[in-house]
């Protein structure tokens, strides 16, 4: 069965001092959701979850640069949900030099990953599924999440509005 729009919801939130998109993606039937790239503004993200009267099953990071993980700890603490990130990005959560916050003096960390992702895996979100696509280029372990039934792709920083994503940061590769 192909879910119609009424079976799922997506809410985009612009968060952080370097504005980036965080998403709440969920299944209306099961009232389950995932939080994708909770960059900052934990209260804003919690408010979006509450608006959908939903419960997060996971926090998913498309990559581990610090602008994507500022609210990870607060969301995990509030909802006791696992943190998922590609296996190549696991050190970004706990090492400020790897997530690049050490270069700015912010020294941001997050709890360690609970599950390491690989290309082709599926993540259940209630009765829905997101497919993990390993899409390096912005970082070595960048992923995109594909909701095939509606043709929705959460691409992280692989692409920017009107452009490709940055490839000049450590771990980035224009060729990849």
């Amino acid at each position: 069965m192909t879910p119609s729009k009424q079976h799922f919801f997506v809410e985009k939130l612009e968060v952080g001092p370097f504005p980036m998109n965080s998403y709440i993606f969920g299944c209306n039937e099961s009232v389950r959701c995932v939080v994708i790239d909770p960059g900052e503004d934990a209260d804003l993200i919690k408010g979006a979850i509450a608006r959908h009267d939903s419960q997060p099953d996971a926090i998913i990071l498309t990559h581990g640069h610090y602008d994507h993980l500022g609210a990870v700890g607060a969301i995990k603490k509030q909802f006791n949900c696992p943190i998922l990130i590609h296996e190549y990005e696991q050190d970004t959560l706990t090492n400020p030099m790897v997530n690049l916050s050490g270069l700015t003096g912010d020294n941001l960390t997050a709890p360690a990953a609970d599950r390491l992702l690989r290309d082709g895996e599926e993540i259940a979100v209630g009765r829905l599924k997101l497919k993990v696509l390993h899409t390096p280029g912005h970082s070595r372990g960048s992923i995109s999440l594909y909701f095939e039934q509606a043709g929705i792709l959460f691409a992280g920083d692989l692409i920017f509005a009107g452009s490709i994503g940055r490839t000049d940061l450590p771990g980035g590769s224009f060729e990849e």
Side-chain angles (χ1 to χ4, degrees), residues 64-176:
H65 289 152
Y66 76 102
D67 60 323
H68 285 246
L69 54 90
V72 169
I75 301 299
K76 181 175 178 67
K77 183 177 180 181
Q78 173 81 32
F79 298 103
N80 192 31
C81 54
I83 299 167
L84 286 58
I85 194 166
H86 191 273
E87 61 184 337
Y88 295 161
E89 299 283 300
Q90 66 181 319
D91 291 341
T92 62
L93 297 172
T94 58
N95 186 331
M97 292 310 288
V98 179
N99 70 35
L100 307 181
S101 69
L103 302 176
T104 66
D106 292 327
N107 295 316
L108 181 67
T109 62
D114 296 292
R115 178 175 161 198
L116 299 177
L117 300 170
R118 292 190 172 132
D119 185 58
E121 285 188 55
E122 290 187 337
I123 301 167
V125 183
R127 297 184 178 120
L128 309 173
K129 295 201 183 304
L130 289 172
K131 185 171 185 174
V132 175
L133 305 173
H134 182 218
T135 51
H138 181 65
S139 73
R140 185 170 172 243
S142 289
I143 62 168
S144 297
L145 301 164
Y146 185 50
F147 179 48
E148 184 176 3
Q149 293 88 341
I152 296 172
L153 183 73
F154 300 97
D157 287 350
L158 181 68
I159 56 174
F160 291 161
S163 172
I164 63 168
R166 291 183 69 174
T167 60
D168 61 325
L169 300 171
S173 169
F174 182 80
E175 291 75 26
E176 287 184 330

Side-chain angles (χ1 to χ4, degrees), residues 1-9 26-30 128:
M1 177 180 137
T2 301
S4 66
K5 216 168 194 173
Q6 65 207 24
H7 291 99
F8 70 93
F9 63 88
C27 174
N28 281 323
E29 292 179 14
S30 66
L128 309 173

